[in-house]
Amino acid sequence: DAKTTQPPSMDCAEGRAANLPCNHSTISGNEYVYWYRQIHSQGPQYIIHGLKNNETNEMASLIITEDRKSSTLILPHATLRDTAVYYCIVRVAQGGSEKLVFGKGTKLTVNP
Amino acid sequence: NAGVTQTPKFQVLKTGQSMTLQCAQDMNHNSMYWYRQDPGMGLRLIYYSASEGTTDKGEVPNGYNVSRLNKREFSLRLESAAPSQTSVYFCAGERGDNSEKLFFGSGTQLSVL
């Protein structure tokens, strides 16, 4: 089972910031939070990841709460091309190997 | 540098037929993964390989076999296809470091009639 909880869908106006929340209350100290997105039927695309500090790159910002039980992905100026399913993932370790387990994600619709 | 390449892109099978989905990467990834995605669902992990010569089951391994014969290639085999295996299949690779990220192929759309 996925270790994260996300709202199934969200809407955002074009040009506005999109704030996508994720709960991961059972995260352990050495687990990272990853965000991916999937546009239509393409393969998922990496966006950003973090451990405990806030992170920013050319695509988005990641805000992780101090207790690490939740995080928010921020798309500062959403465009129509940002319409996609966004997945928040916590790494799951098993037998010394690492794997990513995807949940159902949040369907973000950016409206004109 | 092609990244992660999957073949074929589309395939139609009859129930009971067998086939192998191919995945190759030229990014020096240690770990490789096979996921399936059904309509309206997220990705579910079928099998993964943390390194050359090793494979492990994911969430939904039944009906599938995998082979990681070398670092570049990770194949997924359906020995006797069933309609329930109609899905889009994605292969992914990563270097295996805890801070690394997955690179996905463009997917294989499989229909089993």
Side-chain angles (χ1 to χ4, degrees):
Chain A
D1 292 333
K3 296 174 67 175
T4 62
T5 304
Q6 299 177 253
S9 64
M10 293 183 64
D11 284 89
C12 177
E14 187 178 19
R16 303 297 294 268
N19 297 283
L20 290 87
C22 180
N23 287 317
H24 31 80
S25 58
T26 61
I27 192 170
S28 61
N30 62 347
E31 288 182 314
Y32 287 75
V33 179
Y34 284 77
W35 283 84
Y36 286 77
R37 74 179 183 183
Q38 187 175 26
I39 297 174
H40 195 40
S41 55
Q42 299 175 22
Q45 174 191 25
Y46 166 85
I47 301 173
I48 199 167
H49 74 279
L51 183 62
K52 54 183 178 181
N53 297 321
N54 297 339
E55 303 286 345
T56 296
N57 63 20
E58 66 279 3
M59 291 182 68
S61 294
L62 173 60
I63 308 298
I64 302 175
T65 58
E66 192 170 342
D67 63 7
R68 302 186 72 238
K69 294 183 184 300
S70 65
S71 61
T72 301
L73 179 75
I74 301 173
L75 308 178
H77 305 286
T79 70
L80 299 179
R81 287 177 293 181
D82 291 322
T83 292
V85 177
Y86 288 76
Y87 297 99
C88 169
I89 302 155
V90 168
R91 281 218 91 116
V92 177
Q94 177 174 321
S97 299
E98 299 285 335
K99 60 179 182 179
L100 289 182
V101 177
F102 287 75
K104 294 185 180 180
T106 296
K107 167 68 173 173
L108 174 69
T109 301
V110 180
N111 300 304
Chain B
N1 188 337
V4 180
T5 303
Q6 291 183 234
T7 55
K9 293 189 183 301
F10 301 95
Q11 183 71 51
V12 179
L13 294 177
K14 295 180 180 179
T15 298
Q17 286 185 314
S18 62
M19 80 158 295
T20 300
L21 279 63
Q22 305 287 352
C23 177
Q25 51 90 7
D26 59 5
M27 305 178 75
N28 201 33
H29 290 158
N30 289 315
S31 301
M32 297 184 74
Y33 303 77
W34 275 107
Y35 289 89
R36 63 176 285 175
Q37 186 172 34
D38 300 309
M41 302 285 289
L43 284 82
R44 291 186 292 169
L45 182 64
I46 304 172
Y47 270 94
Y48 67 103
S49 170
S51 61
E52 180 182 344
T54 68
T55 61
D56 285 286
K57 295 178 180 179
E59 306 166 72
V60 288
N62 292 342
Y64 305 94
N65 287 301
V66 291
S67 178
R68 182 87 182 273
L69 294 178
N70 56 59
K71 191 170 187 177
R72 288 190 66 248
E73 298 171 298
F74 188 38
S75 60
L76 179 72
R77 182 160 179 85
L78 288 71
E79 289 291 351
S80 179
S84 61
Q85 295 177 304
T86 293
S87 190
V88 180
Y89 292 84
F90 290 101
C91 176
E94 69 167 346
R95 284 211 292 267
D97 183 285
N98 194 36
S99 62
E100 275 298 325
K101 56 192 179 186
L102 266 65
F103 292 88
F104 282 83
S106 57
T108 295
Q109 188 168 326
L110 175 67
S111 295
V112 183
L113 306 178

